[in-house]
Amino acid sequence: MTPIYRGIVALVLFLMLRCMFREKDFWKQVTGALVLIPLVLRLLLLK
Amino acid sequence: MKILRGTPVTALVLLVLVGAVSFLAAREFLAMRVPDVVVPAPGYETHLLSEWEPSLKGTPADTPVYIQAGSEPGGTVLVMGGTHPNEPSSSLTAVLFLERARVNRGRLVVIPFANIMGFSHNDPQEASPQRLHFTLADGSVRTFKYGSRATNPIHAWPAPDVYIHPQSGQELSGKEKSNLNRAHPGTPDGDLTSRLAYGLRQLIVKEKIDLAFDLHEASPEYPVVNAMVAHERSMELAAMVVMELEGAGIPMRLEPSPKNLRGLTHREWGDFTETMPILLETANPSQGRLRGRTDEDLVLTGRDKCYTKAAALGRLFVPYDGSQSIELRVARHTATVKTFLDMLGLFDEAKEVDVEGIPTYEELLGQGYGAFLTPLPLKDASPGSQG
């Protein structure tokens, strides 16, 4: 169960990163950055 | 807001910031996984619960168990705190018995951090502080974690929509699967919380625990506060203790353990073992729904103007004169457990347990909790390893 969960988180994190680098509006990039933080913590099973 | 142009370079800068914030947050979260340091009094043996339930070995549920035997035979008493790690007077009272007790007769078993998996995280959305600080008599400071009511989801996910208590079929909200005090008497093949409950049951059975305390706290607006809940088998002794406490100026409600509320220690330990279970509750404003600003000061002092107002409106189940300090809450637990120990020999002479060194109700209120903690021998002492 946990590997599947981490796989899903990794996929969403990758998609979010891709969005961030393609985004032309800086403030939307900032929003993406905020979303990345909990994803990183969850991927590493820290929180 | 002015539209700034986003480029791969700005994304890269933001990514570095994400890394920095994640690192700082991770450090905070990982610090919660370091166990609190305790200094057992001379005479205690240190064990792990897996010695009674091997399936817990190597798991995060394997909590320390401390046992001190007196020179004369007698009964065996369990003092367990930390079922709910966001109810600090429970674990702090157990730590007090761990660091101060001198057992002359019988045996004392202390589990300060029963659901140790709930101490490795807390509830940020409840504004819970991470740690409580106590100044000792020598001026040094010791800290204890303020955890969560539930097992860390890292060890307990996924939560079902409905939690079904295995022995009774009772249905509760899914999050109760991570609540140790809904998991008793536990199962050897369930999830970690259930196996932890099973391990505690095995300990009670194999060590022939005569009297078992499960210490708690609850909101001042909850009816079962400044109260003890007793199984049928414990009721006669509990009634004697309540009268003794009333005589000492410590009012205490006595509630019978409901037969249809399953999974709690006062019901399941009584039904599934031979022990006399007692659950104790004090009133903790930092847990309440009526509270205002939530921080360490609220946990330690219980001072809250919202509760002052609620008390004036008659909405509380405890006398509240503007505070409900941690000293008062620990003193209530301590005085109650000590009175039980004093009365146990009168109830059954063969089960007498004689313990010295425990501060009185008045001493705790007068000198504070920190005055009765043992200074740490080394700054970087490893948790729970002394003694």
Side-chain angles (χ1 to χ4, degrees):
Chain A
M1 191 74 87
T2 302
I4 296 170
Y5 174 78
R6 293 178 88 171
I8 293 169
V9 172
L11 175 66
V12 175
L13 196 144
F14 166 74
L15 293 173
M16 182 54 66
L17 267 174
R18 198 176 66 163
C19 277
M20 220 173 99
F21 276 88
R22 289 180 176 180
E23 180 58 50
K24 304 293 180 203
D25 180 341
F26 173 73
W27 294 110
K28 286 184 178 169
Q29 283 184 325
V30 172
T31 306
L34 288 173
V35 174
L36 281 178
I37 295 168
L39 290 174
V40 170
L41 294 172
R42 280 169 180 256
L43 183 68
L44 299 175
L45 296 183
L46 292 167
K47 184 65 178 176
Chain B
M1 190 173 287
K2 187 181 172 185
I3 295 177
L4 295 175
R5 187 168 168 73
T7 66
V9 176
T10 57
L12 203 60
V13 171
L14 287 170
L15 201 56
V16 172
L17 283 173
V18 166
V21 173
S22 300
F23 173 75
L24 293 173
R27 231 171 40 158
E28 291 282 312
F29 292 137
L30 288 174
M32 287 292 286
R33 298 188 191 179
V34 179
D36 285 330
V37 181
V38 290
V39 188
Y44 271 106
E45 293 172 2
T46 303
H47 301 265
L48 288 169
L49 190 60
S50 56
E51 291 172 41
W52 290 270
E53 174 44 36
S55 79
L56 295 175
K57 194 172 178 65
T59 71
D62 200 2
T63 191
V65 178
Y66 303 90
I67 302 178
Q68 186 181 166
S71 54
E72 296 179 53
T76 303
V77 171
L78 167 66
V79 178
M80 186 175 90
T83 288
H84 294 146
N86 64 334
E87 299 170 9
S89 83
S90 73
S91 50
L92 294 176
T93 302
V95 167
L96 199 64
F97 276 85
L98 178 62
E99 302 203 353
R100 304 293 301 186
R102 288 191 308 278
V103 182
N104 297 320
R105 181 189 291 270
R107 291 193 309 156
L108 186 61
V109 180
V110 179
I111 302 177
F113 312 111
N115 188 0
I116 200 162
M117 298 178 288
F119 282 91
S120 65
H121 73 135
N122 66 8
D123 302 313
Q125 291 182 340
E126 292 285 335
S128 301
Q130 282 192 319
R131 281 186 168 71
L132 306 179
H133 297 75
F134 295 95
T135 304
L136 278 59
D138 67 352
S140 62
V141 174
R142 284 183 60 183
T143 64
F144 293 93
K145 288 185 290 184
Y146 187 98
S148 166
R149 181 178 176 84
T151 297
N152 192 328
I154 294 286
H155 310 305
W157 84 283
D161 291 335
V162 176
Y163 163 63
I164 301 172
H165 182 248
Q167 285 80 9
S168 65
Q170 170 185 265
E171 293 185 1
L172 294 170
S173 158
K175 67 179 182 181
E176 298 294 353
K177 177 189 157 219
S178 300
N179 180 350
L180 176 57
N181 209 26
R182 298 296 180 276
H184 298 287
T187 53
D189 53 358
D191 61 53
L192 270 180
T193 310
S194 183
R195 277 154 57 196
L196 171 59
Y198 184 75
L200 293 167
R201 175 176 27 146
Q202 294 303 106
L203 169 86
I204 288 170
V205 170
K206 290 176 183 169
E207 295 303 320
K208 298 183 171 59
I209 305 279
D210 298 301
L211 176 62
F213 294 96
D214 179 20
L215 308 179
H216 286 260
E217 297 202 86
S219 319
E221 68 271 25
Y222 178 62
V224 187
V225 279
N226 285 1
M228 67 173 76
V229 187
H231 186 267
E232 301 87 87
R233 195 183 303 123
S234 325
M235 192 52 85
E236 191 179 344
L237 177 60
M240 289 164 62
V241 169
V242 166
M243 286 191 284
E244 193 73 15
L245 288 170
E246 292 279 350
I250 306 171
M252 180 72 70
R253 287 190 188 89
L254 176 55
E255 304 278 345
S257 169
K259 287 190 174 173
N260 56 355
L261 181 54
R262 301 297 303 273
L264 291 90
T265 48
H266 51 73
R267 171 53 40 205
E268 309 301 343
W269 283 359
D271 286 356
F272 283 81
T273 76
E274 296 297 314
T275 196
M276 290 189 286
I278 296 286
L279 184 145
L280 300 180
E281 294 275 12
T282 56
N284 173 12
S286 69
Q287 280 178 265
R289 293 298 98 190
L290 307 179
R291 71 184 192 273
R293 178 178 173 172
T294 306
D295 55 14
E296 183 183 357
D297 186 61
L298 176 61
V299 179
L300 294 180
T301 67
R303 275 197 294 266
D304 186 292
K305 58 186 178 186
C306 302
Y307 273 103
T308 304
K309 179 78 173 168
L313 294 170
R315 302 292 186 198
L316 305 184
F317 287 87
V318 289
Y320 184 85
D321 59 0
S323 71
Q324 198 74 199
S325 71
I326 194 79
E327 278 77 21
L328 173 66
R329 285 138 55 200
V330 171
R332 286 188 64 88
H333 276 334
T334 305
T336 307
V337 173
K338 189 65 174 61
T339 308
F340 265 102
L341 295 179
D342 295 341
M343 304 294 280
L344 187 58
L346 300 176
F347 189 71
D348 183 341
E349 203 174 332
K351 292 180 180 174
E352 185 178 351
V353 176
D354 180 23
V355 176
E356 289 181 340
I358 305 301
T360 64
Y361 184 81
E362 290 77 17
E363 284 173 334
L364 275 162
L365 290 184
Q367 299 175 45
Y369 180 75
F372 298 98
L373 289 173
T374 306
L376 297 180
L378 296 169
K379 260 189 169 177
D380 56 350
S382 62
S385 62
Q386 300 87 7

